[in-house]
Structure formats: structure tokens, C-alpha cells
């Protein structure tokens, strides 16, 4: 039984159709009658995944360059890529080079410039692609190199059948790069439906051999002798959704399988259930969820295509109590179970170790009670994290206790995940991580120190559910060796599925500023540095080591290349610092010393002023932002609650104050607005008198 993850992988191949949806007929104009070839390169983020220590995109670049001489110079060739410009964009498809004679060198150069980034956009353009291809008078050949990760998803096999039914003169050769046999089987349907060939390329050598095979205008199929096979199905008709055993004789090829299809079905893809021959006899197959007439088939993978070697009729009967569930599921995956049964209050479907008879201690369960008439007879369970044999059961809550009505086996496969991330990351930087895996509701990707084994206490993380296909982590501020991990949260706990080591590299920053400045002034600071999210420039006392409690600061992203700091109101030695924000906290990456010098001010005004009248005050001083001249009662020590004031910036050289209505002794002051508060630079007495 195919997992949801596998089905998604199939759909990637439909890019052979999707890419053509954006072309006009002029793209296909050529000077040669030999037809045209369009190389379609998967440039989604998963191409950063590694094979034997090298990223798949790096292998693809060098391999395409190495085999470029094999392509016929008289045949027009072009290049299309997808997922190379934007993250999370299902419309990111670009025809980089229209097919043109002698253009293989341009194709090689363009491939070298591609940097994988985003999603795999295969969803909405396929039907349009069929229409465009049908309008062309020349045959078109597509060579699709895909690593099998699809994230914009429909069923590519259905699209392939649609292309075939429309009679599109279009051949797709599909190269599954880095796919396993299970994934490769499901990708092959596009090539099969369009008369092309499918190849599994495990590494660079396999990719090169596959490209050489399809570089010819019409690759010559290898001659082969068709072997024979027999099938021996179940003695009794199986019940809907039940598992049954099948035996066979045949060539037992590595890619051979036994499947079940509707009666008369002729395609070698789109089967309802199957079992690999290589897994040994007897094979276990799941009956469909609908009663009726079906066929068992032995499918042999020949050198050029698949062949059905044997068929056997199969009748699937109905039942009042049944469970229709997948034959297999990946560890940690969510999977649906259809059920038939009483549906009483307290009834539930559970998952237990194979052979368990107790009606307690289940690994996962879901109640079947319908909440309304629209509720479907379907529940969702989560697989455990350990691979092995398990049972899915219908448990009825009866007056005399719980009873097991039916049980069906399920094989939980070891969960697979992959991570694609650049191996060198700048300290403090946010960086993308491309992933494949179960994608269970609580799965997450994290960053930990290299060698860290706990599944808690991570430095940075994101949930896969919130970041389909790719998400971002924040590198720590401290350089060193770290590990990115995929954490599976299954029904019975967490497990690290895969990991990739990265090197967090140190960063540099530079600060340019005056060596001394007057207290309270605005200090201009020019800077150069990583400019990460949350990075800032601050001012602190000399020798201060904390990365909080600063006297003044500005964020680098709010002040590109240059910003201003407010200087404190106390003379002395200080430091201006570049502070980087990382996953583990802040770190000072650059520092410059500065001396804050004492500021002075003068005030000139009449010694006596009448009550209630306005009078002029001549002043000199720093005139920093926020500085002001005020009037307060004699002996008043606060720097607020003044009786009258004016800002120096609004009254250059002189300003007006108003005398209070009560006669007496007062003070006129120059107030400096500094980074660490207000400072009285000078104060002088004034007498307010009655007229």
C-alpha cells in the first residue's frame, strides 16, 4: 500500500507537463526536423540533500556538464527549472532556455547558476500543458531529473493518463535521482504513460548513465526475452479491507511485484495494493474497500518497461464488520482507517502490538462514535515510532466488557527523513532547512550542539506542520560545530530520524566613530557587519560585559550602514559595541572605545522679572535633542514639574520663559537630555517681583 508520502513523490514527475503550460508555440519552433528536447531540472530545496557527502544539485551540475557531449548538436535542446527562485511558491516554474540547436553549452552554464530554494510546483498547469502539447506539430521529448519530493500535490498518474488519452505527441523520460525502489516505482508512471523510459539513479554515475541513454533522439530499447510466471491467490474470497496471502512463481526480479487491480485493468501503474516479490513468499496484499471483481497480477520490470506475466481472477466479498486500512505505514505517520461495525458509544479503533489480546494499553486509538449524521465511518491513527508488525482492531464497548470484533495486521515501516541544508552557516544567521519525512503533527526540526542526544533543550526549532517542505532555524551566536535533526514525535515518544552536521562560522563587524564626544550629544556611528535579525549597536560603560542594560542603542536593520547613539550625561570612558543576536543569545562581535567629555552651558537674563510677565533668556550649550531651559522654585531638585520651559532646538540662542504669579526666589536651569537621564548643566538665580 502506498503511503501518502509516496503519493506525493509521484506527482513531482508531472513537471514534464507543467513546464509546458507556460510556453507558447513559438518555443517549439526549430530549424531541424529532428524534434526537440527539453531538460527539466528539479531545483527545489530538497536538491540540497546529500548523496555520499555531496549535494544532489552539485552532482547534477557536474554530471550534466560531463555528459553534454553526448547530445546531438543538430537537435534543439532547452532547459526548464522549478523551485529555484522563491520559497513556498507553487508557481515558481521558469523556462530558462527555449529549445535551440547547438545550445547544450548554454544549458550547462545555466544549470551551474541554479540554486535550489523552494517548492515543487506541479499542481495546476498540467491540463493546460496537455492542451499546449496537443497543439504542436513536432514531437517533443522531455528529460526530467527529479529527486522525488513533491509539495504542491495531485495525482501524477492520473495526469499522465490524461496526457495519453488526449493523444499528445510527447515523450517523457524520467530519471529518479536518489530515490529508493518504492519511490521509483511510483514515479515511473509518467514515463510509462507517455512511452518514455524510467531510470533509477542512485548516484552521479547512475545519473550519467541514464542521461547518456536518453540523450539520443529515440533511445534504442534493449532486446529482451519475456519470462513466464504463475499466481496462487487465497483459497477463500477475501473480505473487504482484509489482508490475504499470495504465492507465485516467476523471474523474481528486483523490481517485480504482485498487485491487485480492477478486472480488465491494463495499466502497469495505479494499482490498488501490491507486494514486492523481493520481500519473499507468501506476499501479503490488502483487499480493496469495495466488494466486487478484481485481478491479481505478476508484474515484471523488464529492461525497457513493465510486463504483466500472469493474472488471476479475485472476488472480494462484503462484510458487516470490517476495517479498511493501509497494509503499511511509515513510523509516526498519520493514516486513515475506514470501519464498519456497530458504531456504539464507547466503541473505538486501536493499534496494538501484533497478537495482543488485552483491551487496554493500546499504542493509539480513536473513538468511532458519530457526532452527527454527516460523520463518516473513518478515524485517524498515528503509527508508533518503532518498525514492526502491529494489529488494528475494532473494540466494542458491551455491557459485559470490551470485545474485539475484528483485527487487521499492519506493517509499520522504519520512518525515513532527509534534511538539506548548506554545511556552512554564518553565526547568528537565519538559514533554510529543506526536509522530507513523516510530517506528523508534532514532528520538528531542531538545532543542537554536535554530539547532543536529548530530544529537548534544542537551540532553535520549527514544527514541520507549520513549515511544509522547508523552514528556518537561527544559528547560534557562538561559532562551532552543530547538528540539524529531524525529530519524529510518534504515538509512543520521540526519535531522531536523521541529522546533518553544520559548521557555524564566525562573523566580523567594524565600527567607525569619533574618539571623543560631549555628554548628551548624538554620536554618529558607521557600521559594517552581519546585519542579522535583532542585531544592534549599543553604548555601555567601559568594561561592561552584559548584553543588556545598555545606555543607548539602535537596531542595524533600522539604520543601514549608519546610526546615532545618545551619549550619557556623565563624563568618562565608554564603549560602543556591535551586538549580534543568535539562537543561544547575544554576543559582542566588535567594540570601540570612546571618551565622553563634560559639557558646559551659559544662561543670561535679567536679575529681576515682574510676576506673570514673559522674559527672554539667552543661552549657549550642547543643544542636544530634548535639551531645554526651565524655571523652577529655588531649591527644586527634580528635572520635571517645571513652571515654564522652552526647548533649545526650538529657540536657537534665546528663548522666552514666563514668570510665575507669585513673587519670590527662583532658578533658571539648562537641562541636558542624556542617554542615562537628565542633567542640570547650569542654574542661576532669578527674583520674581511684584510690579
Amino acid at each position: 500500500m502506498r503511503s501518502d508520502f509516496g503519493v506525493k513523490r509521484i506527482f513531482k514527475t508531472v513537471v514534464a507537463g507543467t513546464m509546458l503550460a507556460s510556453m507558447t508555440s513559438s518555443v517549439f519552433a526549430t530549424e531541424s526536423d529532428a524534434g526537440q528536447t527539453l531538460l527539466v531540472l528539479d531545483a527545489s530545496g530538497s536538491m540540497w540533500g546529500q548523496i555520499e557527502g555531496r549535494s544532489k544539485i552539485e552532482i547534477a551540475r557536474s554530471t550534466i556538464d560531463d555528459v553534454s557531449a553526448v547530445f546531438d548538436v543538430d537537435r534543439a535542446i532547452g532547459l526548464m527549472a522549478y523551485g529555484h527562485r522563491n520559497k513556498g511558491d507553487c508557481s515558481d516554474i521558469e523556462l530558462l532556455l527555449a529549445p535551440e540547436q547547438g545550445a547544450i553549452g548554454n544549458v550547462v552554464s545555466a544549470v551551474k547558476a541554479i540554486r535550489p530554494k523552494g517548492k515543487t510546483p506541479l499542481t495546476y498547469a498540467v491540463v493546460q500543458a496537455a492542451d499546449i502539447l496537443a497543439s504542436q506539430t513536432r514531437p517533443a521529448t522531455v528529460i526530467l531529473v527529479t529527486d522525488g519530493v513533491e509539495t504542491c500535490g495531485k495525482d501524477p498518474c492520473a495526469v499522465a493518463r490524461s496526457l495519453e488519452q488526449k493523444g499528445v505527441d510527447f515523450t517523457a523520460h524520467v530519471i529518479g535521482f536518489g530515490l529508493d525502489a518504492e519511490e521509483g516505482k511510483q514515479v515511473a508512471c509518467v514515463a510509462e504513460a507517455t512511452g518514455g523510459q524510467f531510470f533509477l539513479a542512485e548516484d552521479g554515475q547512475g545519473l550519467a548513465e541514464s542521461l547518456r541513454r536518453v540523450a539520443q533522439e529515440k533511445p534504442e530499447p534493449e532486446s529482451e526475452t519475456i519470462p513466464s510466471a504463475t499466481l496462487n491467490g487465497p483459497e477463500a474470497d477475501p473480505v473487504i479491507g482484509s489482508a490475504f496471502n499470495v504465492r507465485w512463481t516467476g523471474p523474481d526480479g528486483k523490481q517485480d511485484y504482485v498487485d491487485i487491480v480492477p478486472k480488465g485493468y491494463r495499466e502497469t501503474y495505479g494499482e490498488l495494493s501490491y507486494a514486492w516479490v523481493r520481500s519473499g513468499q507468501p506476499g501479503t496484499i490488502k483487499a480493496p474497500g469495495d466488494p466486487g471483481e478484481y485481478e491479481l497480477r505478476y508484474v515484471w520490470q523488464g529492461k525497457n518497461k513493465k510486463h504483466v506475466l500472469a493474472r488471476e481472477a479475485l472476488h472480494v466479498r462484503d462484510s458487516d464488520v470490517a476495517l479498511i486500512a493501509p497494509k503499511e505505514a511509515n513510523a509516526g505517520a498519520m493514516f486513515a482507517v475506514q470501519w464498519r461495525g456497530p458504531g456504539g458509544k464507547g466503541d473505538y479503533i486501536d493499534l496494538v502490538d501484533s497478537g495482543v489480546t488485552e483491551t487496554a494499553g493500546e499504542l493509539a486509538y480513536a473513538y468511532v462514535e458519530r457526532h452527527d449524521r454527516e460523520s463518516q465511518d473513518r478515524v485517524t491513527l498515528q503509527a508508533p515510532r518503532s518498525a514492526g508488525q502491529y494489529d488494528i482492531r475494532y473494540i466494542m464497548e458491551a455491557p459485559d466488557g470490551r470485545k474485539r470484533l475484528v483485527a487487521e495486521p499492519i506493517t509499520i515501516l522504519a520512518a525515513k527523513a532527509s534534511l538539506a541544508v548548506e554545511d556552512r552557516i554564518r553565526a547568528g544567521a537565519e538559514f533554510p532547512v529543506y526536509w522530507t519525512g513523516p510530517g506528523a503533527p508534532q514532528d520538528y526540526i531542531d538545532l543542537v550542539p554536535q554530539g547532543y542526544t536529548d530530544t529537548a533543550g534544542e537551540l532553535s526549532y520549527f514544527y514541520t506542520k507549520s513549515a511544509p517542505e522547508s523552514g528556518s532555524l537561527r544559528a547560534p551566536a557562538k561559532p562551532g560545530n552543530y547538528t540539524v535533526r529531524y525529530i519524529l514525535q510518534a504515538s509512543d515518544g520521540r526519535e531522531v530520524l536523521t541529522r546533518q552536521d553544520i559548521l557555524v562560522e564566525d562573523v566580523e563587524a567594524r565600527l567607525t566613530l569619533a574618539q571623543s564626544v560631549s555628554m548628551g550629544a548624538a554620536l554618529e556611528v558607521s557600521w559594517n557587519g552581519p546585519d542579522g535579525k535583532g542585531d544592534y549597536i549599543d553604548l555601555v560603560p567601559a568594561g561592561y560585559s552584559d548584553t543588556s542594560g545598555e545606555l543607548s542603542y539602535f537596531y542595524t536593520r533600522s539604520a543601514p550602514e549608519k546610526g546615532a547613539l545618545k551619549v550619557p550625561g556623565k563624563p568618562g570612558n565608554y564603549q560602543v559595541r556591535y551586538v549580534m543576536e543568535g539562537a543561544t543569545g547575544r554576543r559582542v562581535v566588535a567594540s570601540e572605545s570612546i571618551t565622553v567629555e563634560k559639557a558646559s552651558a551659559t544662561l543670561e537674563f535679567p536679575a529681576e522679572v515682574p510676576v506673570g510677565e514673559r522674559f527672554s533668556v539667552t543661552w549657549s550649550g550642547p543643544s542636544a535633542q530634548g535639551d531645554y531651559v526651565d524655571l523652577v522654585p529655588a531649591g527644586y531638585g527634580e528635572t520635571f514639574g517645571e513652571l515654564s520651559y522652552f526647548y533649545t532646538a526650538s529657540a536657537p540662542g534665546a528663548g522666552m520663559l514666563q514668570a510665575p504669579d507669585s513673587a519670590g526666589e527662583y532658578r533658571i536651569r539648562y537641562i541636558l537630555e542624556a542617554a542615562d537621564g537628565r542633567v542640570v548643566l547650569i542654574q542661576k538665580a532669578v527674583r520674581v517681583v511684584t510690579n
Side-chain angles (χ1 to χ4, degrees):
M1 185 77 176
R2 298 177 180 179
S3 67
D4 289 341
F5 181 64
V7 171
K8 288 183 178 179
R9 286 184 175 270
I10 304 178
F11 193 58
K12 171 159 282 197
T13 60
V14 185
V15 74
T18 306
M19 62 182 187
L20 293 162
S22 62
M23 300 180 186
T24 63
S25 58
S26 62
V27 169
F28 293 89
T30 179
E31 301 169 9
S32 171
D33 294 331
Q36 302 164 93
T37 296
L38 193 61
L39 175 63
V40 182
L41 181 63
D42 180 350
S44 62
S46 57
M47 286 290 282
W48 285 116
Q50 295 190 347
I51 297 176
E52 297 179 350
R54 295 179 68 199
S55 69
K56 286 182 276 187
I57 185 61
E58 181 184 357
I59 296 171
R61 289 170 183 154
S62 61
T63 302
I64 291 171
D65 189 6
D66 292 343
V67 303
S68 60
V70 178
F71 287 85
D72 186 351
V73 294
D74 293 328
R75 184 172 175 82
I77 187 168
L79 174 67
M80 173 164 282
Y82 56 85
H84 60 298
R85 293 177 296 182
N86 304 309
K87 287 182 61 178
D89 184 1
C90 282
S91 64
D92 186 12
I93 307 166
E94 184 180 12
L95 179 64
L96 297 172
L97 294 170
E100 184 179 349
Q101 283 183 285
I104 186 62
N106 295 336
V107 168
V108 170
S109 297
V111 167
K112 290 181 178 180
I114 290 174
R115 289 186 62 81
K117 185 174 293 185
K119 297 178 77 68
T120 305
L122 308 173
T123 308
Y124 301 110
V126 176
V127 174
Q128 298 176 46
D131 292 338
I132 292 173
L133 287 170
S135 69
Q136 306 306 316
T137 59
R138 298 179 184 275
T141 298
V142 171
I143 301 173
L144 171 63
V145 178
T146 173
D147 76 340
V149 178
E150 205 296 320
T151 55
C152 294
K154 289 184 180 179
D155 182 356
C157 293
V159 174
R161 285 194 293 270
S162 174
L163 290 172
E164 180 186 29
Q165 291 166 1
K166 291 188 177 186
V168 178
D169 191 1
F170 156 70
T171 301
H173 302 301
V174 181
I175 302 174
F177 184 34
L179 305 184
D180 60 25
E182 186 79 24
E183 297 156 350
K185 174 184 178 299
Q186 299 176 61
V187 169
C189 62
V190 171
E192 294 171 19
T194 60
Q197 296 187 44
F198 171 74
F199 304 90
L200 275 178
E202 297 179 356
D203 51 23
Q205 181 179 351
L207 179 59
E209 292 173 355
S210 302
L211 285 170
R212 289 189 181 98
R213 286 281 305 277
V214 298
Q216 309 168 46
E217 180 181 347
K218 293 183 179 179
E220 291 295 331
E222 296 185 36
S223 60
E224 56 187 358
T225 301
I226 308 300
S228 61
T230 64
L231 287 168
N232 186 11
E235 294 183 3
D237 294 340
V239 171
I240 56 171
S242 65
F244 61 89
N245 291 335
V246 179
R247 292 185 176 275
W248 61 84
T249 65
D252 288 344
K254 187 177 180 181
Q255 304 299 320
D256 294 2
Y257 57 92
V258 176
D259 68 8
I260 181 171
V261 296
K263 183 178 180 180
Y265 189 78
R266 291 293 177 263
E267 307 297 347
T268 53
Y269 53 86
E271 61 282 331
L272 301 173
S273 181
Y274 66 93
W276 290 106
V277 166
R278 66 172 183 270
S279 298
Q281 300 203 44
T284 301
I285 293 182
K286 280 276 190 175
D290 294 319
E293 303 304 319
Y294 296 88
E295 287 182 342
L296 292 173
R297 308 186 304 180
Y298 186 110
V299 181
W300 173 62
Q301 176 63 66
K303 294 180 180 179
N304 304 301
K305 65 178 184 178
K306 296 174 182 175
H307 301 269
V308 177
L309 301 186
R311 299 175 184 269
E312 181 177 296
L314 180 73
H315 176 73
V316 176
R317 58 190 175 89
D318 209 349
S319 176
D320 292 332
V321 179
L323 294 173
I324 303 168
K327 171 189 168 185
E328 299 171 341
N330 288 324
M334 308 298 293
F335 61 91
V337 180
Q338 288 181 272
W339 58 270
R340 287 190 183 182
K345 184 175 182 180
D347 291 5
Y348 60 91
I349 310 297
D350 71 4
L351 185 145
V352 296
D353 288 317
S354 179
V356 167
T357 58
E358 292 84 357
T359 54
E362 57 280 330
L363 300 172
Y365 71 95
Y367 287 106
V368 302
E369 183 180 5
R370 299 182 183 90
H371 298 288
D372 53 59
R373 292 184 178 181
E374 302 300 322
S375 296
Q376 296 184 346
D377 298 339
R378 181 189 300 266
V379 297
T380 300
L381 297 177
Q382 184 176 21
R385 59 179 172 161
S386 300
Q389 301 301 315
Y390 296 84
D391 287 337
I392 300 171
R393 311 182 303 179
Y394 186 112
I395 305 297
M396 180 179 69
E397 187 72 56
D400 55 345
R402 297 170 180 162
K403 300 184 183 300
R404 187 190 70 173
L405 298 188
V406 66
E408 289 294 339
I410 184 171
T411 299
I412 302 302
L413 305 174
K416 294 188 299 182
S418 68
L419 296 171
V421 58
E422 296 192 50
D423 55 5
R424 291 176 178 269
I425 305 295
R426 178 176 53 78
E430 288 188 327
F431 60 95
V433 179
Y434 301 94
W435 62 270
T436 65
Q442 299 301 315
D443 287 6
Y444 60 93
I445 311 295
D446 72 4
L447 176 71
V448 296
Q450 193 169 338
Y452 191 81
T453 58
D454 288 351
T455 53
E458 58 282 331
L459 306 175
S460 180
Y461 73 96
F462 65 84
Y463 285 107
T464 58
K465 184 178 180 180
S466 303
E469 189 186 54
S470 67
S472 293
L473 294 175
R474 185 77 181 263
K478 182 180 179 181
N481 295 308
Y482 295 86
T483 301
V484 179
R485 310 183 301 180
Y486 186 111
I487 307 296
L488 167 70
Q489 178 69 64
S491 59
D492 55 347
R494 296 173 181 163
E495 183 175 344
V496 179
L497 293 187
T498 189
R499 64 189 75 216
Q500 183 174 330
D501 293 335
I502 64 170
L503 175 64
V504 173
E505 298 180 315
D506 205 356
V507 296
E508 294 182 352
R510 184 181 301 109
L511 300 171
T512 304
L513 58 145
Q515 293 182 341
S516 62
V517 65
S518 177
M519 52 190 270
L523 172 65
E524 186 176 273
V525 180
S526 297
W527 63 269
N528 180 277
D531 195 23
K533 183 179 180 181
D535 289 6
Y536 60 91
I537 312 296
D538 72 2
L539 187 148
V540 296
Y544 190 81
S545 59
D546 288 351
T547 52
S548 60
E550 57 281 330
L551 301 172
S552 180
Y553 72 95
F554 64 83
Y555 287 109
T556 60
R557 291 193 174 181
S558 300
E561 298 183 354
K562 184 183 295 184
L565 294 172
K566 188 75 170 176
V567 174
K570 182 180 179 181
N573 296 318
Y574 294 84
Q575 286 180 306
V576 175
R577 310 181 302 180
Y578 187 112
V579 182
M580 180 181 66
E581 187 78 51
T584 53
R586 299 165 181 159
R587 174 171 162 251
V588 177
V589 294
S591 177
E592 291 290 338
S593 298
I594 186 170
T595 300
V596 174
E597 299 176 339
K598 186 175 181 179
S600 61
T602 64
L603 296 170
E604 297 294 336
F605 49 86
E608 294 183 350
V609 295
V611 295
E613 290 193 9
R614 290 173 60 79
F615 62 96
S616 177
V617 178
T618 301
W619 64 270
S620 68
S623 193
Q625 184 178 2
D627 287 8
Y628 59 94
V629 175
D630 70 2
L631 185 149
V632 296
Y636 190 79
E638 306 295 346
T639 54
F640 56 86
E642 56 280 331
L643 302 174
S644 180
Y645 73 95
F646 63 82
Y647 285 109
T648 59
S650 302
M656 302 296 292
L657 294 176
Q658 183 165 358
D661 293 334
S662 299
E665 298 297 325
Y666 294 86
R667 297 290 185 268
I668 295 176
R669 309 181 302 181
Y670 186 109
I671 308 297
L672 171 72
E673 186 73 60
D676 51 351
R678 296 167 181 162
V679 178
V680 179
L681 291 186
I682 186 174
Q683 58 179 319
K684 296 176 69 174
V686 63
R687 180 177 294 111
V688 176
V689 297
T690 57
N691 292 328

